[in-house]
Amino acid sequence: MSGSPGIPMIRLENVCKHYNGQQVLDGVSFEIRKGSITTIMGRSGGGKSVLIRHMIGLEAPDSGAIYIDGENIVGMGSRELNRIRRRFGVLFQDAALFDSLTVEENVAFPIREHLRLREKQVRAIVHDKLDKVGMGEHLHKFPNELSGGMRKRVGLARALALDPDLVFFDEPTSGLDPITRGVIYDLILDTHREMDTTYVLVSHDIHGVLNVSDWVMMLFKGRIAVQGTPEEIRSSTDPLIQQFTAVSGHGPLSMD
Amino acid sequence: MRTLSFFSSILLAPFELVRFCLDELGTALLLLVRSLMRMVLPPYRVGEFVRQLDFVGAQTVLLMVLTGAFTGMVSALQGYNGMHRYGAESMVGATVALALSRELGPVIGALMVVARVGSAMAAELGSMRNSQQIDALVSMAVDPIQYLISPRIFAATVALPFLALIFSFAGMVGAYVVSTAYLGIDAGTFMAGVRDYLDPSDITQGLIKSVVFGLLMALVSCHKGYYATGGSRGVAAATTEAVVVASVLILVSDYLMTTLMFRST
Ligand SMILES: Nc1ncnc2c1ncn2[C@@H]1O[C@H](COP(=O)(O)OP(=O)(O)O)[C@@H](O)[C@H]1O
Ligand SMILES: [Mg+2]
């Protein structure tokens, strides 16, 4: 269980970040292989969203380096960062839909922004993406008229709108019913199979995650404590993993 | 030890306040420079600009007509009240016209726009910040200042002079109606006063003020909202601060500009 094999799409070296005296990331290092589905697990408040924000350049680390496809984005200017971000899709934890735009306009937004397409083509792409997440019926609703799960599905469609090379999913299934959760996982697998893309997931749902991921990492106390293939994780005797899979209250993950 | 820190904190409070104000001024000016630079660079956010122009301008016209009319009506009453004592009722039209075009139109109009538009800008941007919508823009490689701030500042700067004109015109209509129908001033006398005393420079000076007020109002509101932190309470605080700071700045800058304009005429 050392590193994920293959060409790295993302590489973190000793990334540290603190907020008001709280060390959230304390030397995070890992590699995420091109074309893989990699999941970062960890308890809530453990710094998973902070980690994603660093990888998309929304936040700069106190120290360390973040390589995206070979380029260090730490200290990069906004113009260069934007060139790299054009390859990204991001599903935020609370979807972060634009609440002044309808469902349809939300998904169309990145397409209109970055591709010069006819309105008819834009609509065709948008409807296709929304149909895939089962939201094709709600084109003209505004985000405040949707449930949390529906917002998340629209967020997913928006993240995938430009067929990005690299997609970050911050808790794509939390707060969803089991059926929708299955739909989302199927969607992740299907879209991933269609294109040669790299998916980075953040999730608590260890059982779901072990089924879809190629590689799983555990963020614990600001570092990657354990990582490996789903098989390795399943058969691991590491107390941290056992506590996570067994949903038991005893182990290293105490509420201190 | 405790008393010492108490006294030192009292002594340091003014410095802290000055430091805070300079800090705010610095970030606001930086935001202004950045939004102006993004305004002239492509991509041009025409759609957003038009939407803001509609919100700041078109949707505020009725408010201007209403508040302007009553301001003009009360000005006519008060003007008559004062001038009646000297037998100078014929001057009511001229006085109201000067007051509206130089002061009341630009200033009260701008304060009404702060209440309606400035508060909305601060609240909207603040809630976008707090629900990660601004982060979402950044993650899509969209410059949030160019997309959100530049169109708002530009639209407000363009719209305010027109709104002030509408305010003043509605005020003149109100004053005319009150003067002729209620105060018994002859319509021809009213209009002659306006014609003889109102100079085009009075109107242009008022319009120049409006441009500055529009810029100030939008900058303060956008700045407060854009950097709002701390959930809904933070958004509420940002909205309040935007309205208070923008209103104060409008009155202070009005005094400064009036001083300069008096000197030049
Ligand atoms: N902007 C911030 N300011 C202060 N603290 C923050 C900030 N962002 C995150 N944190 C802290 O970092 C920790 C990790 O947060 P987060 O990454 O959201 O956790 P999660 O793993 O649940 O996604 C939390 O304790 C949170 O309070
Ligand atoms: Mg999180």
Side-chain angles (χ1 to χ4, degrees), chain A residues 72-135:
Chain A
N72 189 356
I73 63 165
V74 176
M76 213 179 232
S78 61
R79 187 181 296 252
E80 272 189 289
L81 261 175
N82 280 346
R83 173 175 52 81
I84 293 179
R85 285 186 186 126
R86 278 197 196 116
R87 304 168 58 187
F88 288 2
V90 183
L91 169 62
F92 285 84
Q93 189 164 350
D94 300 310
L97 299 179
F98 301 123
D99 49 22
S100 61
L101 303 182
T102 63
V103 165
E104 186 179 39
E105 290 165 338
N106 260 285
V107 180
F109 189 91
I111 305 173
R112 293 194 174 127
E113 207 47 52
H114 294 302
L115 303 178
R116 293 276 153 268
L117 293 180
R118 290 172 188 288
E119 194 50 26
K120 227 169 116 185
Q121 291 169 293
V122 174
R123 270 164 210 268
I125 300 176
V126 169
H127 294 179
D128 174 53
K129 302 287 174 192
L130 281 169
D131 283 340
K132 278 188 180 153
V133 294
M135 289 294 293

Side-chain angles (χ1 to χ4, degrees), chain A residues 53 56 58 82 85-86 88 90 92-94 96-101 109-110 113-114 158, chain B residues 38 41 43 45 51 124 127-128 131-143 147:
Chain A
R53 293 173 63 79
I56 51 186
L58 279 172
N82 280 346
R85 285 186 186 126
R86 278 197 196 116
F88 288 2
V90 183
F92 285 84
Q93 189 164 350
D94 300 310
L97 299 179
F98 301 123
D99 49 22
S100 61
L101 303 182
F109 189 91
E113 207 47 52
H114 294 302
R158 188 178 69 177
Chain B
R38 306 294 200 282
L41 292 176
R45 301 294 180 178
R51 195 167 322 150
E124 187 182 13
S127 85
M128 287 187 78
S131 58
Q132 297 192 311
Q133 292 176 56
I134 293 179
D135 291 337
L137 281 175
V138 175
S139 80
M140 291 178 204
V142 173
D143 187 322
Y147 184 73

Side-chain angles (χ1 to χ4, degrees), chain B residues 103-177:
Chain B
E103 284 299 329
L104 300 179
V107 174
I108 300 186
L111 292 177
M112 296 311 297
V113 173
V114 168
R116 182 182 175 272
V117 174
S119 58
M121 281 182 181
E124 187 182 13
L125 293 177
S127 85
M128 287 187 78
R129 166 69 70 195
N130 277 280
S131 58
Q132 297 192 311
Q133 292 176 56
I134 293 179
D135 291 337
L137 281 175
V138 175
S139 80
M140 291 178 204
V142 173
D143 187 322
I145 291 181
Q146 187 174 47
Y147 184 73
L148 296 170
I149 314 278
S150 303
R152 281 172 168 76
I153 289 182
F154 192 27
T157 310
V158 171
L160 266 237
F162 288 98
L163 293 175
L165 272 185
I166 293 169
F167 185 101
S168 299
F169 185 77
M172 282 316 291
V173 173
Y176 179 85
V177 170

Side-chain angles (χ1 to χ4, degrees), chain B residues 12-215:
Chain B
L12 287 177
F15 295 102
E16 277 297 303
L17 187 68
V18 168
R19 203 185 62 97
F20 175 76
C21 288
L22 288 179
D23 220 42
E24 288 276 289
L25 188 67
T27 51
L29 285 180
L30 200 63
L31 188 66
L32 177 65
V33 171
R34 285 168 70 186
S35 69
L36 291 179
M37 273 166 51
R38 306 294 200 282
M39 212 178 282
V40 296
L41 292 176
Y44 302 110
R45 301 294 180 178
V46 180
E48 276 306 291
F49 171 69
V50 170
R51 195 167 322 150
Q52 289 303 323
L53 204 56
D54 176 54
F55 177 65
V56 181
Q59 295 180 35
T60 314
V61 167
L62 199 62
L63 182 69
M64 290 293 118
V65 170
L66 199 67
T67 53
F70 278 101
T71 305
M73 284 156 72
V74 82
S75 302
L77 281 184
Q78 294 286 19
Y80 180 83
N81 189 13
M83 281 177 247
H84 179 62
R85 299 172 203 184
Y86 309 102
E89 294 92 341
S90 62
M91 293 298 291
V92 167
T95 313
V96 175
L98 284 177
L100 278 171
S101 61
R102 297 181 73 127
E103 284 299 329
L104 300 179
V107 174
I108 300 186
L111 292 177
M112 296 311 297
V113 173
V114 168
R116 182 182 175 272
V117 174
S119 58
M121 281 182 181
E124 187 182 13
L125 293 177
S127 85
M128 287 187 78
R129 166 69 70 195
N130 277 280
S131 58
Q132 297 192 311
Q133 292 176 56
I134 293 179
D135 291 337
L137 281 175
V138 175
S139 80
M140 291 178 204
V142 173
D143 187 322
I145 291 181
Q146 187 174 47
Y147 184 73
L148 296 170
I149 314 278
S150 303
R152 281 172 168 76
I153 289 182
F154 192 27
T157 310
V158 171
L160 266 237
F162 288 98
L163 293 175
L165 272 185
I166 293 169
F167 185 101
S168 299
F169 185 77
M172 282 316 291
V173 173
Y176 179 85
V177 170
V178 167
S179 301
T180 53
Y182 178 67
L183 298 172
I185 298 171
D186 176 60
T189 314
F190 183 95
M191 289 313 292
V194 175
R195 222 173 299 128
D196 291 347
Y197 285 93
L198 188 67
D199 197 79
S201 76
D202 296 319
I203 296 175
T204 47
Q205 287 186 2
L207 293 183
I208 292 169
K209 284 181 175 180
S210 295
V211 170
V212 175
F213 296 159
L215 181 74

